[in-house]
Amino acid sequence: MRTQVGIIGGGPSGLLLSQLLHLQGIETVVLEKHTREHVLGRIRAGVLEHGFAQLMRQAQVGERMDREGQIHEGFFIAHGGRQDRIDLRALTGGKTVLVYGQTELTRDLYEARDRSGGKVIHRAQEVTPNDVNTARPYLTYRVGNEVARLDCDYIVGCDGYHGVSRQSIPQERIKVFERAYPFGWLGVLSRTKPVSPELIYATHERGFALCSMRSTTLSRYYIQVPETDTVADWSDERFFEELRARLPPQVAQGMIVGPSIEKSIAPLRSFVAEPMRYGRLFLAGDAAHIVPPTGARGLNTAGSDIHYLYHALLDHYRSGDDEGLDSYSEHALARVWKGQRFSWWMTTLLHRFPEHSPYEQRLQQTELDYLFSSQQALGSLAENYVGLPF
Ligand code: APR
Ligand code: PHB
C-alpha cells in the first residue's frame, strides 16, 4: 500500500492531522495499535484553548464541540479557606476556554474520518518505521497474521508517550529532558452535578485538589496522592472525604457526591524529546512531550504541533516549499517549552511537595500572595491558560 503521509497513532493528534490533510486532498493512513473502543475508553482532560477549538473547526469537526462544549470565562483558585476567581475573559481581552471532553472530541474525529472514507487501521501491531533517513520511508506492521507494508513520503509519530516512533530514533540523535513529581493525581468521574459551574483548583496543606467537569451532570474530581498509593487504597467514601477536606468549607458543603464511574491514578511528570524530527519522521503530541495536567496544556500543546505540521506539509505538497518542514521542530519546541514552563509553574504553585523546606513553603505562599495582588501576574496566568498564540 502507498500513501502520502503515514501516521502512527489514532489518538487526537493523529486523527486531527489526518482529517486536516484529507480536507486539502493529501492522503494519509493512520495505524493504531488498539481498537477504537479501547481508544474511546480513555478518560482524559477536557479544557480546550481557543486555538485548539479553532483547529477543530478548521478540520470541520467542531459542530458538536460548539453545541455541547461549555464556554468557561474563568476559573477559581481556592487557597487559605477562600476562593479567588481568575477572570480569563477580562484578563485576556476577551479570550475563554471550552470544556469538552477529550473522549468526545476523539469520537467526533473518528466519525469525521469514517464519513470521508479515511483509512484508520486498528489493531496494527509491531508498527515499525523504516528507512526514515531516505527519500522513501515506509512502515511495516502486522494485523492478525498478515504482515503489511505502507510506503509513504513522510511518517508522523502521533503514538503517545509509550509509542514506537520516538524509540525508533537512534539514542544519540535525540535528547530527552524530564522531571518526575513525587505524587500523582487520583481522579474520579461521577454522575453528579459539578460542585461549581467553573473549575476550582485548590491548594491546601493536605495537598492539591481539582473540581472539574465533563457536563452539567458529570463531575470530574482529582486529589493529589503520594506516588506509592493505588486505586485500591481509595474507596469512594475516603476520596470524597479527602476532597472535601481540601476545599473551602462553603464549597465542600455544597458538594453532591455519588458513586465513581471511573477511578484512576495518573503519575505527574514532564518530558520533552528534542528534536521533533529525524529524517522523514516527525513527532507530534505526547510522542514528543508530556506535562503534568495542572495547566491543562497536554492536548492543547499537541494541537499546536499539529497546526505547525499541517501547514508545513501543506506548503510542501502545494508549492514544494519545505521551509515549514525544516523549521517544524524549532517552531513546535518553542511553544512546547512555554507549555512546559506554565505546567511546571502551576504544579509548583498549587501542590504540596513532601521535600519542601520551610523556606520553599514560604516562597510558595508568597507566590500566591503576589499572584492575587498583581494584575500583571494574573494576566500572565490567564494568557497562558487560554493558550499563547501559535
Ligand atoms: N503503534 C500504533 N499506535 C500506537 C503505538 C504503536 N506502537 N503506541 C501507541 N499507539 C497509539 C495509542 O494506542 C494511542 O491511541 O497512539 C495513540 C496516542 O494517543 P495519545 O496518547 O492520546 O496521544 P496524542 O494523540 O498525542 O494526544 C495528545 O494530550 O491531553 C493530552 O495525554 C493527553 O492523549 C492526550 C494528548
Ligand atoms: C479535567 O477535567 O480532567 C481537567 C481539567 C483541568 C486540568 C486537568 C484536568 O488542568
Side-chain angles (χ1 to χ4, degrees):
M1 199 176 15
R2 164 151 197 102
T3 192
Q4 289 174 298
V5 182
I7 298 175
I8 311 176
S13 300
L15 294 171
L16 183 55
L17 181 65
S18 164
Q19 174 68 8
L20 285 163
L21 291 176
H22 162 78
L23 293 174
Q24 300 295 336
I26 299 167
E27 274 176 38
T28 63
V29 173
V30 176
L31 301 179
E32 165 56 50
K33 185 179 185 175
H34 293 289
T35 60
R36 182 189 293 214
E37 294 67 42
H38 178 97
V39 174
L40 292 176
R42 295 192 281 237
I43 310 274
R44 281 163 167 185
V47 176
L48 310 183
E49 65 186 25
H50 175 77
F52 192 95
Q54 276 300 99
L55 213 51
M56 288 288 286
R57 294 179 193 116
Q58 200 177 344
Q60 299 179 10
V61 278
E63 197 192 314
R64 191 162 71 101
M65 173 190 81
D66 281 324
R67 203 172 54 240
E68 294 179 14
Q70 303 172 20
I71 294 170
H72 282 223
E73 299 187 355
F75 66 86
F76 293 97
I77 291 184
H79 59 111
R82 50 188 282 221
Q83 46 172 346
D84 283 309
R85 184 163 185 269
I86 313 295
D87 189 336
L88 294 174
R89 188 188 275 287
L91 287 161
T92 61
K95 294 199 180 129
T96 57
V97 293
L98 197 57
V99 170
Y100 187 63
Q102 194 174 313
T103 311
E104 298 312 310
L105 177 148
T106 310
R107 191 188 306 281
D108 297 343
L109 284 163
Y110 267 122
E111 287 174 5
R113 297 312 297 122
D114 286 349
R115 278 196 300 276
S116 40
K119 265 212 183 76
V120 182
I121 298 174
H122 285 278
R123 294 185 216 250
Q125 304 298 307
E126 296 156 29
V127 175
T128 311
N130 300 278
D131 290 357
V132 299
N133 260 330
T134 73
R136 297 176 193 284
Y138 64 97
L139 287 159
T140 47
Y141 61 98
R142 181 175 60 76
V143 180
N145 292 323
E146 297 264 316
V147 176
R149 169 176 170 142
L150 176 65
D151 290 281
C152 23
D153 301 334
Y154 295 101
I155 296 172
V156 183
C158 295
D159 48 348
Y161 180 66
H162 299 287
V164 65
S165 311
R166 189 185 68 250
Q167 279 155 23
S168 75
I169 301 174
Q171 266 186 20
E172 69 278 10
R173 299 299 296 272
I174 202 152
K175 189 164 166 55
V176 158
F177 301 82
E178 56 193 324
R179 155 183 286 225
Y181 292 87
F183 40 75
W185 278 17
L186 169 63
V188 158
L189 189 68
S190 84
R191 219 168 279 294
T192 49
K193 182 171 183 272
V195 68
S196 159
E198 292 183 338
L199 273 67
I200 303 174
Y201 291 82
T203 178
H204 190 274
E205 61 190 27
R206 300 179 69 93
F208 169 82
L210 170 61
C211 303
S212 181
M213 68 212 66
R214 290 291 172 275
S215 70
T216 51
T217 54
L218 205 51
S219 300
R220 182 66 167 160
Y221 296 118
Y222 297 95
I223 55 172
Q224 171 189 352
V225 295
E227 61 183 337
T228 46
D229 277 18
T230 65
V231 169
D233 297 327
W234 290 90
S235 64
D236 288 359
E237 210 175 27
R238 182 177 173 214
F239 175 87
F240 281 109
E241 195 179 292
E242 186 60 37
L243 174 63
R244 282 173 150 154
R246 297 181 187 188
L247 297 171
Q250 71 279 13
V251 178
Q253 277 154 21
M255 178 173 287
I256 300 166
V257 304
S260 61
I261 50 177
E262 196 266 355
K263 194 188 281 168
S264 52
I265 295 185
L268 262 66
R269 59 179 172 228
S270 306
F271 174 92
V272 183
E274 289 186 357
M276 288 169 63
R277 172 186 190 170
Y278 177 61
R280 287 186 172 236
L281 168 67
F282 293 86
L283 302 178
D286 277 22
H289 44 78
I290 52 174
V291 283
T294 326
R297 293 298 86 204
L299 178 62
N300 292 310
T301 307
S304 72
D305 294 351
I306 298 305
H307 165 88
Y308 293 126
L309 197 49
Y310 162 62
H311 285 283
L313 287 165
L314 209 54
D315 288 348
H316 168 81
Y317 283 108
R318 277 204 178 149
S319 49
D321 175 1
D322 284 352
E323 154 62 22
L325 288 174
D326 291 340
S327 59
Y328 165 70
S329 177
E330 194 188 325
H331 275 146
L333 281 166
R335 195 168 187 280
V336 162
W337 275 107
K338 290 184 185 118
Q340 292 281 327
R341 185 206 71 83
F342 180 63
S343 306
W344 158 81
W345 179 81
M346 277 277 272
T347 303
T348 308
L349 179 72
L350 299 175
H351 288 74
R352 265 331 253 193
F353 287 75
E355 75 277 20
H356 268 185
S357 65
Y359 178 82
E360 286 160 316
Q361 286 173 20
R362 278 281 194 278
L363 279 186
Q364 190 184 34
Q365 184 55 50
T366 306
E367 185 80 29
L368 267 175
D369 290 348
Y370 168 63
L371 175 66
F372 290 109
S373 68
S374 159
Q375 283 304 299
Q376 278 85 350
L378 286 170
S380 167
L381 163 55
E383 84 168 340
N384 279 277
Y385 196 86
V386 299
L388 296 172
F390 288 155

Short mmCIF file of all heavy atoms in Angstrom, two decimals, residues 132-168:
data_model
loop_
_atom_site.label_atom_id
_atom_site.label_comp_id
_atom_site.label_asym_id
_atom_site.label_seq_id
_atom_site.Cartn_x
_atom_site.Cartn_y
_atom_site.Cartn_z
N VAL A 132 13.79 5.94 7.36
CA VAL A 132 13.30 7.32 7.52
C VAL A 132 14.34 8.35 7.11
O VAL A 132 14.02 9.51 6.91
CB VAL A 132 12.78 7.62 8.95
CG1 VAL A 132 11.63 6.72 9.31
CG2 VAL A 132 13.89 7.52 9.96
N ASN A 133 15.59 7.90 6.97
CA ASN A 133 16.63 8.82 6.53
C ASN A 133 16.85 8.82 5.03
O ASN A 133 17.83 9.35 4.53
CB ASN A 133 17.95 8.50 7.25
CG ASN A 133 18.15 9.46 8.40
OD1 ASN A 133 17.70 10.61 8.34
ND2 ASN A 133 18.79 9.01 9.46
N THR A 134 15.92 8.20 4.32
CA THR A 134 16.00 8.20 2.86
C THR A 134 14.76 8.90 2.31
O THR A 134 13.86 9.28 3.07
CB THR A 134 16.02 6.76 2.30
OG1 THR A 134 14.69 6.21 2.43
CG2 THR A 134 17.00 5.87 3.05
N ALA A 135 14.70 9.06 0.98
CA ALA A 135 13.54 9.72 0.37
C ALA A 135 12.34 8.77 0.27
O ALA A 135 11.26 9.18 -0.12
CB ALA A 135 13.93 10.21 -1.02
N ARG A 136 12.54 7.50 0.62
CA ARG A 136 11.46 6.51 0.51
C ARG A 136 11.25 5.76 1.82
O ARG A 136 11.54 4.56 1.90
CB ARG A 136 11.78 5.50 -0.60
CG ARG A 136 11.88 6.11 -1.97
CD ARG A 136 12.29 5.04 -2.98
NE ARG A 136 12.68 5.65 -4.24
CZ ARG A 136 11.84 6.15 -5.12
NH1 ARG A 136 10.55 6.08 -4.92
NH2 ARG A 136 12.27 6.70 -6.23
N PRO A 137 10.73 6.46 2.80
CA PRO A 137 10.49 5.76 4.07
C PRO A 137 9.27 4.84 3.96
O PRO A 137 8.44 5.03 3.07
CB PRO A 137 10.20 6.90 5.04
CG PRO A 137 9.65 7.99 4.21
CD PRO A 137 10.28 7.86 2.85
N TYR A 138 9.19 3.85 4.80
CA TYR A 138 7.99 3.00 4.81
C TYR A 138 7.75 2.45 6.21
O TYR A 138 8.66 2.41 7.05
CB TYR A 138 8.09 1.88 3.76
CG TYR A 138 9.20 0.88 3.99
CD1 TYR A 138 8.94 -0.34 4.64
CD2 TYR A 138 10.49 1.13 3.56
CE1 TYR A 138 9.96 -1.26 4.84
CE2 TYR A 138 11.52 0.22 3.77
CZ TYR A 138 11.25 -0.98 4.41
OH TYR A 138 12.25 -1.89 4.63
N LEU A 139 6.52 2.04 6.40
CA LEU A 139 6.13 1.46 7.68
C LEU A 139 5.81 -0.01 7.46
O LEU A 139 5.23 -0.37 6.44
CB LEU A 139 4.88 2.17 8.21
CG LEU A 139 5.11 3.58 8.75
CD1 LEU A 139 3.80 4.38 8.78
CD2 LEU A 139 5.70 3.52 10.15
N THR A 140 6.19 -0.83 8.40
CA THR A 140 5.73 -2.22 8.37
C THR A 140 4.89 -2.45 9.62
O THR A 140 5.11 -1.80 10.66
CB THR A 140 6.91 -3.22 8.33
OG1 THR A 140 7.85 -2.82 9.33
CG2 THR A 140 7.58 -3.24 6.98
N TYR A 141 3.92 -3.34 9.52
CA TYR A 141 3.05 -3.64 10.66
C TYR A 141 2.37 -4.97 10.43
O TYR A 141 2.44 -5.54 9.33
CB TYR A 141 2.03 -2.51 10.87
CG TYR A 141 1.10 -2.28 9.71
CD1 TYR A 141 -0.19 -2.83 9.70
CD2 TYR A 141 1.51 -1.54 8.59
CE1 TYR A 141 -1.04 -2.63 8.61
CE2 TYR A 141 0.66 -1.35 7.52
CZ TYR A 141 -0.61 -1.89 7.53
OH TYR A 141 -1.44 -1.71 6.45
N ARG A 142 1.72 -5.45 11.46
CA ARG A 142 1.03 -6.72 11.36
C ARG A 142 -0.39 -6.56 11.90
O ARG A 142 -0.59 -5.92 12.93
CB ARG A 142 1.79 -7.77 12.20
CG ARG A 142 1.20 -9.17 12.17
CD ARG A 142 2.09 -10.14 12.94
NE ARG A 142 2.26 -9.78 14.35
CZ ARG A 142 1.35 -9.97 15.28
NH1 ARG A 142 0.18 -10.51 15.00
NH2 ARG A 142 1.59 -9.62 16.55
N VAL A 143 -1.38 -7.09 11.17
CA VAL A 143 -2.74 -7.15 11.71
C VAL A 143 -3.13 -8.63 11.70
O VAL A 143 -3.20 -9.23 10.63
CB VAL A 143 -3.75 -6.32 10.88
CG1 VAL A 143 -5.15 -6.42 11.49
CG2 VAL A 143 -3.33 -4.86 10.80
N GLY A 144 -3.35 -9.21 12.86
CA GLY A 144 -3.59 -10.65 12.93
C GLY A 144 -2.33 -11.37 12.44
O GLY A 144 -1.23 -11.08 12.91
N ASN A 145 -2.50 -12.22 11.41
CA ASN A 145 -1.33 -12.92 10.87
C ASN A 145 -0.75 -12.25 9.64
O ASN A 145 0.23 -12.72 9.08
CB ASN A 145 -1.71 -14.37 10.51
CG ASN A 145 -2.02 -15.15 11.77
OD1 ASN A 145 -1.37 -14.95 12.80
ND2 ASN A 145 -3.02 -16.02 11.69
N GLU A 146 -1.41 -11.17 9.22
CA GLU A 146 -0.99 -10.50 7.98
C GLU A 146 0.07 -9.45 8.25
O GLU A 146 -0.16 -8.51 9.02
CB GLU A 146 -2.20 -9.78 7.37
CG GLU A 146 -3.33 -10.66 6.95
CD GLU A 146 -3.23 -11.00 5.47
OE1 GLU A 146 -2.95 -10.09 4.67
OE2 GLU A 146 -3.44 -12.18 5.14
N VAL A 147 1.20 -9.57 7.57
CA VAL A 147 2.22 -8.52 7.68
C VAL A 147 2.05 -7.60 6.48
O VAL A 147 1.81 -8.08 5.37
CB VAL A 147 3.63 -9.15 7.71
CG1 VAL A 147 4.70 -8.06 7.72
CG2 VAL A 147 3.77 -10.03 8.94
N ALA A 148 2.09 -6.29 6.73
CA ALA A 148 1.86 -5.36 5.63
C ALA A 148 2.94 -4.28 5.60
O ALA A 148 3.66 -4.07 6.56
CB ALA A 148 0.48 -4.73 5.78
N ARG A 149 2.98 -3.60 4.45
CA ARG A 149 3.96 -2.53 4.26
C ARG A 149 3.24 -1.30 3.71
O ARG A 149 2.39 -1.42 2.82
CB ARG A 149 5.02 -3.02 3.27
CG ARG A 149 5.94 -1.91 2.78
CD ARG A 149 7.02 -2.47 1.88
NE ARG A 149 7.74 -1.35 1.25
CZ ARG A 149 9.04 -1.34 1.02
NH1 ARG A 149 9.78 -2.38 1.36
NH2 ARG A 149 9.62 -0.30 0.45
N LEU A 150 3.56 -0.16 4.29
CA LEU A 150 2.95 1.09 3.85
C LEU A 150 4.07 2.05 3.43
O LEU A 150 4.84 2.53 4.27
CB LEU A 150 2.13 1.71 5.02
CG LEU A 150 1.48 3.06 4.79
CD1 LEU A 150 0.40 2.99 3.70
CD2 LEU A 150 0.87 3.60 6.09
N ASP A 151 4.14 2.31 2.13
CA ASP A 151 5.15 3.26 1.63
C ASP A 151 4.59 4.67 1.74
O ASP A 151 3.40 4.88 1.50
CB ASP A 151 5.47 2.93 0.16
CG ASP A 151 6.24 1.64 0.05
OD1 ASP A 151 7.46 1.67 0.29
OD2 ASP A 151 5.61 0.59 -0.23
N CYS A 152 5.43 5.62 2.11
CA CYS A 152 4.93 6.99 2.24
C CYS A 152 6.02 8.01 1.96
O CYS A 152 7.20 7.68 1.90
CB CYS A 152 4.32 7.23 3.62
SG CYS A 152 4.88 6.18 4.93
N ASP A 153 5.60 9.27 1.83
CA ASP A 153 6.58 10.35 1.66
C ASP A 153 7.14 10.74 3.03
O ASP A 153 8.31 11.03 3.17
CB ASP A 153 5.91 11.60 1.07
CG ASP A 153 5.28 11.33 -0.29
OD1 ASP A 153 5.73 10.40 -0.98
OD2 ASP A 153 4.32 12.06 -0.64
N TYR A 154 6.22 10.79 4.00
CA TYR A 154 6.59 11.20 5.36
C TYR A 154 5.89 10.30 6.36
O TYR A 154 4.81 9.79 6.09
CB TYR A 154 6.18 12.65 5.63
CG TYR A 154 6.92 13.64 4.76
CD1 TYR A 154 6.30 14.19 3.65
CD2 TYR A 154 8.24 13.98 5.03
CE1 TYR A 154 6.98 15.08 2.82
CE2 TYR A 154 8.93 14.86 4.21
CZ TYR A 154 8.30 15.41 3.11
OH TYR A 154 8.99 16.26 2.30
N ILE A 155 6.53 10.16 7.53
CA ILE A 155 5.91 9.42 8.63
C ILE A 155 5.73 10.39 9.79
O ILE A 155 6.65 11.17 10.10
CB ILE A 155 6.80 8.23 9.06
CG1 ILE A 155 6.92 7.22 7.91
CG2 ILE A 155 6.24 7.56 10.32
CD1 ILE A 155 7.91 6.11 8.16
N VAL A 156 4.55 10.38 10.40
CA VAL A 156 4.34 11.22 11.57
C VAL A 156 4.04 10.33 12.77
O VAL A 156 3.11 9.52 12.74
CB VAL A 156 3.20 12.25 11.34
CG1 VAL A 156 3.07 13.15 12.56
CG2 VAL A 156 3.47 13.09 10.10
N GLY A 157 4.84 10.46 13.81
CA GLY A 157 4.65 9.68 15.03
C GLY A 157 3.73 10.43 15.98
O GLY A 157 4.13 11.39 16.61
N CYS A 158 2.48 9.97 16.04
CA CYS A 158 1.48 10.56 16.96
C CYS A 158 1.08 9.47 17.94
O CYS A 158 -0.09 9.35 18.31
CB CYS A 158 0.24 11.02 16.20
SG CYS A 158 0.53 12.37 15.07
N ASP A 159 2.04 8.64 18.34
CA ASP A 159 1.70 7.43 19.08
C ASP A 159 1.94 7.55 20.58
O ASP A 159 2.17 6.54 21.25
CB ASP A 159 2.44 6.23 18.48
CG ASP A 159 3.93 6.48 18.25
OD1 ASP A 159 4.34 7.64 18.35
OD2 ASP A 159 4.66 5.52 17.98
N GLY A 160 1.87 8.76 21.08
CA GLY A 160 1.86 8.95 22.53
C GLY A 160 3.21 8.66 23.18
O GLY A 160 4.19 8.28 22.53
N TYR A 161 3.23 8.83 24.48
CA TYR A 161 4.47 8.72 25.25
C TYR A 161 5.10 7.33 25.14
O TYR A 161 6.32 7.19 25.10
CB TYR A 161 4.15 9.04 26.72
CG TYR A 161 5.33 8.97 27.63
CD1 TYR A 161 6.38 9.87 27.49
CD2 TYR A 161 5.42 7.99 28.61
CE1 TYR A 161 7.48 9.80 28.33
CE2 TYR A 161 6.51 7.92 29.45
CZ TYR A 161 7.54 8.84 29.31
OH TYR A 161 8.63 8.77 30.12
N HIS A 162 4.26 6.27 25.09
CA HIS A 162 4.79 4.90 25.08
C HIS A 162 4.97 4.35 23.67
O HIS A 162 5.23 3.17 23.50
CB HIS A 162 3.85 3.97 25.87
CG HIS A 162 3.72 4.38 27.31
ND1 HIS A 162 4.74 4.20 28.22
CD2 HIS A 162 2.72 5.00 27.98
CE1 HIS A 162 4.36 4.67 29.40
NE2 HIS A 162 3.14 5.16 29.27
N GLY A 163 4.80 5.21 22.68
CA GLY A 163 4.80 4.74 21.30
C GLY A 163 6.17 4.32 20.79
O GLY A 163 7.19 4.45 21.46
N VAL A 164 6.16 3.86 19.55
CA VAL A 164 7.36 3.30 18.94
C VAL A 164 8.19 4.37 18.20
O VAL A 164 9.40 4.22 18.03
CB VAL A 164 6.96 2.14 17.98
CG1 VAL A 164 6.15 2.67 16.80
CG2 VAL A 164 8.17 1.40 17.47
N SER A 165 7.54 5.44 17.76
CA SER A 165 8.21 6.42 16.88
C SER A 165 9.46 7.00 17.52
O SER A 165 10.55 6.94 16.95
CB SER A 165 7.28 7.58 16.55
OG SER A 165 6.06 7.10 16.13
N ARG A 166 9.27 7.58 18.70
CA ARG A 166 10.42 8.22 19.36
C ARG A 166 11.50 7.17 19.64
O ARG A 166 12.68 7.42 19.46
CB ARG A 166 9.96 8.90 20.65
CG ARG A 166 11.03 9.76 21.28
CD ARG A 166 10.57 10.32 22.61
NE ARG A 166 10.41 9.32 23.63
CZ ARG A 166 9.27 8.92 24.15
NH1 ARG A 166 8.13 9.45 23.75
NH2 ARG A 166 9.23 7.98 25.06
N GLN A 167 11.05 5.99 20.04
CA GLN A 167 12.00 4.95 20.39
C GLN A 167 12.76 4.40 19.18
O GLN A 167 13.81 3.78 19.34
CB GLN A 167 11.29 3.82 21.14
CG GLN A 167 11.11 4.20 22.61
CD GLN A 167 9.95 3.49 23.27
OE1 GLN A 167 9.54 2.43 22.82
NE2 GLN A 167 9.44 4.07 24.34
N SER A 168 12.23 4.66 17.99
CA SER A 168 12.91 4.15 16.79
C SER A 168 14.06 5.08 16.37
O SER A 168 14.86 4.74 15.50
CB SER A 168 11.92 4.01 15.64
OG SER A 168 11.61 5.29 15.11
#
